[in-house]
Amino acid sequence: MKIAIVYASVHHGNTKKLVDAIADAYGTELIDATKIKEKNLSEYDAIGFASGIYYGKFHQAVLNFASVNLPQEKTVFLICTHGGSAAFGSIEAILKNKRCSITDRFSCKGYDTFGPFRLIGGIAKGHPDDKDIKSVLDFYDGIIKKMQV
Ligand SMILES: Cc1cc2nc3c(=O)[nH]c(=O)nc-3n(C[C@H](O)[C@H](O)[C@H](O)COP(=O)(O)O)c2cc1C
């Protein structure tokens, strides 16, 4: 099964912690959308999009990557880290246009020192933690099992 995860992780590497854990455990290909702008995804069985949440959205590099490169009707899964709350709407709007099916969504807190939070030492300190990493691995395992059925 050919799977890639397209990600952006620009604040504290929180999202990268999650996708690195998946890549280490499963050998999944990672595509850093802040560096790679174009790629043919037609051969992939599923694509993951992973991002921190910035101003209520997935990172613009991930959104652009999806708009440009994601073929119609692909199987997609989503991962985000956030200081406050998960927000999948920005990426889901693109996926809807491309008639892609979303198998699952994962979110967890990520250390956040943006704006005034810096003054109090940040929020969600220590996240993603070991428990979050285990949860994302369970999530990914579930996706693979679902696709094998
Ligand atoms: C510019 C900026 C804007 C952010 N906006 C939000 C937001 O709207 N909602 C939220 O829950 N977290 C927000 N955060 C916190 C990040 O989503 C959180 O720290 C995330 O884990 C960062 O992931 P990364 O380290 O992979 O970039 C923001 C952080 C930054 C730097």
Side-chain angles (χ1 to χ4, degrees), residues 83-84 112-123:
D112 180 6
T113 54
F114 178 57
F117 295 131
R118 191 174 54 85
L119 302 174
I120 56 163
I123 56 171

Side-chain angles (χ1 to χ4, degrees), residues 8-16 51-57 81-86 108-114:
S9 182
V10 300
H11 189 32
H12 285 291
N14 298 328
T15 311
K16 188 162 190 314
S51 179
I53 299 300
Y54 316 97
Y55 305 111
K57 292 180 175 183
T81 66
H82 53 82
S85 49
C108 73
K109 292 214 173 276
Y111 181 43
D112 180 6
T113 54
F114 178 57

Side-chain angles (χ1 to χ4, degrees), residues 88-103:
F88 292 108
S90 55
I91 184 81
E92 284 179 350
I94 294 165
L95 303 179
K96 196 175 168 202
N97 273 335
K98 293 183 180 259
R99 296 190 299 171
C100 291
S101 55
I102 302 168
T103 54

Side-chain angles (χ1 to χ4, degrees), residues 21-88:
I22 293 172
D24 286 350
Y26 294 88
T28 306
E29 180 182 347
L30 301 181
I31 300 170
D32 182 347
T34 67
K35 298 196 176 121
I36 295 169
K37 303 296 169 197
E38 280 182 34
K39 185 160 174 87
N40 182 348
L41 298 178
S42 54
E43 302 288 303
Y44 290 79
D45 301 297
I47 313 289
F49 289 101
S51 179
I53 299 300
Y54 316 97
Y55 305 111
K57 292 180 175 183
F58 268 44
H59 194 279
Q60 197 56 48
V62 172
L63 299 175
N64 290 348
F65 190 100
S67 296
V68 171
N69 300 298
L70 185 64
Q72 296 271 320
E73 296 179 13
K74 276 280 172 197
T75 297
V76 169
F77 59 93
L78 302 175
I79 294 171
C80 78
T81 66
H82 53 82
S85 49
F88 292 108

